[in-house]
Amino acid sequence: MTSMTNGADVLTAAAEFDRGSVADAESAAEGERKQVLSQFPLEQWAELPLERYALGQTASPGSGPTYCRLLEFLTPNLGSIKGGSAAKHIMYHHVSGEWRLAAPLRGMEPQEAWVHLRGQFVQAFDAVAAGDFDSLDDLEVLWYGPTLVTKTLATYFPEHFLPIYAGEHLRRFVALLLGDSVQGDAPAWRSNRRLLELVRDSEEFEGWTRYEVMHFLYRHSDPRSRQRTIWKIAPGERGRLWDECRTDGVIRVGWEQVGDLGLYQSDTDLKQALDAHWPRKSGGSLTLARRLLAFRDLEEGDRIVANRGVDEVLATGTVSGNYRFETDRPEFQHTVPVNWDLSHAQRLPEPRQWRSTFARVDPAFFAKLTAYQADSGAGANREPQSTPVALPEDVQTVLDALKRKG
C-alpha cells in the first residue's frame, strides 16, 4: 500500500514520525474526554434535557456548558469541529429567540423535536455498542449534523472511531492511504470507520494511538486549504483594554449585544443583528459581520497584531485556543486566547490605515514587525528607534490627529 503526497511516501513518513511529540496533546485530549463523560454520562442520555444539549440558551448557575458548546468550543484536543454554521448541531436556540431546526424536525415544537433527536442519538449509541455500524445510516436526523455526531461517537466509543470528523478530511485521508481518489457522499462516521480499517491494516501504524494517527495525518497532508490571514485587532478604544488582555493572555472585542457569534450561520445573518442594534451603520455592517466571523473562526497558530492608534504596535500574538463568549463580563465579551510576544512592541515610522478594530496585515509588513526586537530597539531592515515616551491620552489623541491630517 503506497501513496504519494508532495513527493513523499506516506508510509515512509509514518515510520519517521516522532510519535512522542503528540504526548502532551494526547494527555490533554483524554482529559477533555473524561470531562465529557463526567458531565454527560452515556447512561443519562435517554433523559438528557434540551437545556443541557443545545447552544444559545441562558445557562442556570452552576449548570456548566451545554453539550454542544462543550464539543465545539471546549474540547479542541479531542479533534476540532469549530467554526462555520451552528446548524451542525441539528437544533439550536438562535439569538433572535427562535429555535433553528434541521429539515426533518421543522414544524415541531422544540421539546418534541428534541425528544426525536435525542432518541436517534440513543439509537446510535446502542447500535455502536452492539457493533451494528450499518444501522447508523438509517438515522435520518443525524445526517444533518455529521461532524457533531461523529465526534460524539468517537468520544464515547474511542475504540471504534478516530478523532477526525470532517467528511472532506476523512475522504482525503482515505484516498491518501489507498493511493487513489475517493468519491461519494458517505456520512462522516462511515468514512471514519473506513479510515480506521485502513490504519489497522497497515503495519506502519501498528501500536499507534488514535491521536498519534490523527496528528500524523494532519501534519503530513493537511486538507485545510485556508490561507491564513494576519489580523490587526485593537484591544479597545485607544488600547484601553491592553493591560487586561496582556495579563489574561487574550484578545477581546465588543459588539456583545449581538450575542454569541457561534450561533450565526452566515455573514448576512449576523449583519441583520448588527443592523438591529446600530441601524445608522447598516451600510458597513456586512463588512463588520465578516470581520467578527473571521474573529470567531480564528484557529490555533493564527497570528495577530495588537495596536494602539495608527502608529503603535503593542505586541504580536499567536492564537492559542478557541473563541468563547464570556457572558460574565460587563463588556467586550467576544474573546480569543492568545500568546503575546511583547518584544515586537514599537512605534511605527509611518501611520497605518488602522482606524477600525479589525484590519488585514500584509505578510511582508508583518515580517518586518516580527524582525524588530524591542529590547535592542532594532531589527532586520529597520533603523534603530528610541523608546517612545508615554504621553497623556488626550495629548496623544491630538498628535495622532495631526499626523493623520498633516
Side-chain angles (χ1 to χ4, degrees), residues 37-55:
L37 301 183
S38 172
Q39 296 186 29
F40 299 91
L42 187 62
E43 61 274 13
Q44 294 182 13
W45 261 84
E47 302 298 329
L48 185 68
L50 176 58
E51 293 73 17
R52 294 286 289 125
Y53 172 80
L55 285 176

Side-chain angles (χ1 to χ4, degrees), residues 13 30 40 71 90 97 106 151-152 185 195 247 252 260 273 278 281 290 300 302 315 319 355 371 380-381:
E30 278 303 301
F40 299 91
L71 256 64
I90 308 176
R106 288 173 191 160
K151 183 168 184 176
T152 295
D185 57 351
L195 180 60
T247 300
R252 295 191 174 102
D260 188 342
W278 298 279
K281 298 183 179 181
R290 290 170 177 166
E300 189 169 347
D302 285 345
V319 175
R355 294 183 179 87
N381 303 318

